[in-house]
Amino acid sequence: MDLLSNLWLGLQVAAEPVTLAYCFFGVLLGTVVGVLPGIGALAAISLLLPLTYHMPPTAAIIMLAGVYYGAQYGGSTASILLNLPGTPSSAVTCLDGYPMAKKGKAGVALFVTTIASLAGAMSGLVLLVLFSPAIASIGLKFGPAEFFSMMVLGLVAASSMTAGSAAKGLCMVVFGLLLGMVGTDVNSGVARFSFDVPELMDGINLIALAMGLFGVAEVVRCINSADTNQKPEKVTLKSMVPTKDEFKATIKPMMRGSALGSALGALPGVGPSIAAFMSYAIEKKVAKDPSRFGQGAIEGITAPESANNAAAQTAFVPSLSLGIPGDAVMAVMMGALIIHGIQPGPNLISEQPDLFWGLVVSFGIGNLMLVILNLPTIGLWVALLRIPFAWMYPAIIVFVALGVYSVNNNVFDIYSVAALGIMGYVLMVLRFEPAPLLLGYILGPMLEEHLRRAMLLSRGDAMVFLERPISASLLACTAAMLGWAIWSTVRKSIKAKRALDAAERLATT
């Protein structure tokens, strides 16, 4: 009965005309962002952050969330039609989606990805509704030591789960923690790492950091890598209807992908991308004929699409229930809540029930909106892909500059976003993923606060982190992840050295 009353409360909030309008705008923009290759939900949400200053908190987070899961729907369009992933999680869709398009099955591929996305999102939503209050109730028993240990675990998990080197991920987390220390110390009032620059007394602007690392840097990367000569084929509604055998072949992969994505999305540091790739790997292993994958297997697009959409929903579980962002997008949305004076964590559900349950119900409404948007309007999204990239990317840079300037009306923020954009592009070239940096920046101040509070309560005794069972267990998991990260780095270097030695021996003989 409590669950039903909470859902009824959420429905009342989500069904308000203003909230519905923001939800629709969010999912529409998310679909556009997902369709257009190279932009991504993170850059779009970063651009929208200045707008949330003038919006109610519930409407703001519903709109940003709509952009997030809406991009998962739209990301498959460019992957299937142009072999260009609109979002990182839709990169795996290219493997079989584009071959299907070349065989004249682009309409079928787009249709089944939309249905798989809806199935994954709804399964993730059920998990979010059932388990978020339970996790939050457990979180109420946490003290400063437990929160510190959990944040350390989340940061290490985020760094070790990156696609590149685990050591590089750890370096980016530490760099983000250092950036989070810039500004005035809350306890002593002393300026730290500001280098006598008045604009840095309040720290580095979150919006400038997010826009620079993921907006400007991504635009520069896409300008250097995008193939502007590709043109998508026309897709009709008649060509989107799958055959009976094709539809039957999607059911089990869809169920497996939804279950896997729902479970992985709730883990801090995993996110939709890893869920999609793992789902694809599982489907390839259980398939009777694995050689079909990569040649246009319909299971190769339904499983990862359902997995990444399920993970996009359950990523809100640790973010809202425990205050631990699952990925960089969740970190930015947590920043949006903090800007409005709302602290994500175990008390969020009890202190802000309208916001939490309104957001949960809006997920269901938004996903239904996305189905209505995606199926009849495929032709519109295909037409958007015909816009020359030379027109699109300068407009994005202009919006970045206007957005970051509108926050404080300070030209220094524009210089900051330019410098951070250059830094973000250099990091991409060097294959340092910027997402762990942003997680470190967001969690750094909270990590320091809980560390100081725990040490104050224990009168300086650091053993408090090991004496409390939950904290000790979390730190043990952290140590295991660190050990795995170090071992994987050492193993890769050993393999590379052996391969080099073997090549030298072959050359001498």
Side-chain angles (χ1 to χ4, degrees), residues 177-207:
L177 291 172
L178 292 176
L179 292 180
M181 294 176 66
V182 175
T184 304
D185 181 26
V186 177
N187 292 326
S188 64
V190 176
R192 304 183 299 186
F193 305 107
S194 61
F195 303 101
D196 295 328
V197 178
E199 288 83 359
L200 292 178
M201 295 292 286
D202 291 331
I204 297 174
N205 191 329
L206 170 64
I207 298 174

Side-chain angles (χ1 to χ4, degrees), residues 37-171:
I39 299 177
L42 187 57
I45 291 173
S46 302
L47 290 171
L48 288 175
L49 270 184
L51 295 179
T52 63
Y53 279 68
H54 313 288
M55 295 168 55
T58 302
I61 196 66
I62 285 176
M63 180 186 71
L64 296 180
V67 174
Y68 179 46
Y69 59 81
Q72 310 302 323
Y73 276 76
S76 59
T77 302
S79 299
I80 293 170
L81 298 176
L82 293 179
N83 202 31
L84 292 173
T87 59
S89 60
S90 62
V92 68
T93 309
C94 296
L95 300 177
D96 285 281
Y98 189 61
M100 283 188 69
K102 290 196 293 185
K103 292 179 180 178
K105 292 284 187 179
V108 174
L110 291 170
F111 179 84
V112 296
T113 53
T114 301
I115 300 302
S117 298
L118 178 64
M122 288 305 178
S123 64
L125 180 59
V126 171
L127 191 68
L128 177 65
V129 170
L130 294 178
F131 289 99
S132 287
I135 294 174
S137 63
I138 296 172
L140 289 173
K141 302 176 182 178
F142 281 27
E146 286 80 8
F147 275 113
F148 170 81
S149 301
M150 178 170 290
M151 289 180 182
V152 172
L153 175 61
L155 288 173
V156 173
S159 63
S160 60
M161 293 290 183
T162 54
S165 168
K168 287 184 176 180
L170 288 172
C171 290

Side-chain angles (χ1 to χ4, degrees), residues 343-432:
Q343 183 63 50
N347 292 318
L348 176 67
I349 299 177
S350 59
E351 294 179 355
Q352 302 285 340
D354 293 357
L355 185 147
F356 179 81
W357 291 107
L359 177 64
V360 169
V361 174
S362 75
F363 289 159
I365 297 174
N367 279 283
L368 293 176
M369 288 180 177
L370 282 166
V371 174
I372 297 172
L373 278 173
N374 277 268
L375 291 180
T377 57
I378 288 293
L380 174 63
W381 310 130
V382 174
L384 280 176
L385 293 175
R386 298 179 181 271
I387 299 175
F389 292 159
W391 299 356
M392 188 189 311
Y393 293 136
I396 294 173
I397 295 295
V398 171
F399 286 129
V400 166
L402 291 175
V404 74
Y405 178 78
S406 66
V407 177
N408 298 317
N409 295 327
N410 194 338
V411 180
F412 180 82
D413 290 337
I414 298 179
Y415 296 146
S416 298
V417 78
L420 291 166
I422 294 172
M423 183 183 73
Y425 178 70
V426 172
L427 292 174
M428 286 184 181
V429 171
L430 297 176
R431 297 184 179 179
F432 283 89

Side-chain angles (χ1 to χ4, degrees), residues 212-245:
L213 289 179
F214 298 96
V216 177
E218 192 69 21
V219 166
V220 175
R221 185 193 67 81
C222 290
I223 289 173
N224 292 331
S225 63
D227 184 0
T228 58
N229 296 321
Q230 296 188 65
K231 296 296 179 184
E233 65 174 68
K234 291 185 179 180
V235 177
T236 62
L237 289 176
K238 185 178 179 180
S239 67
M240 295 173 61
V241 181
T243 64
K244 183 178 180 180
D245 291 337

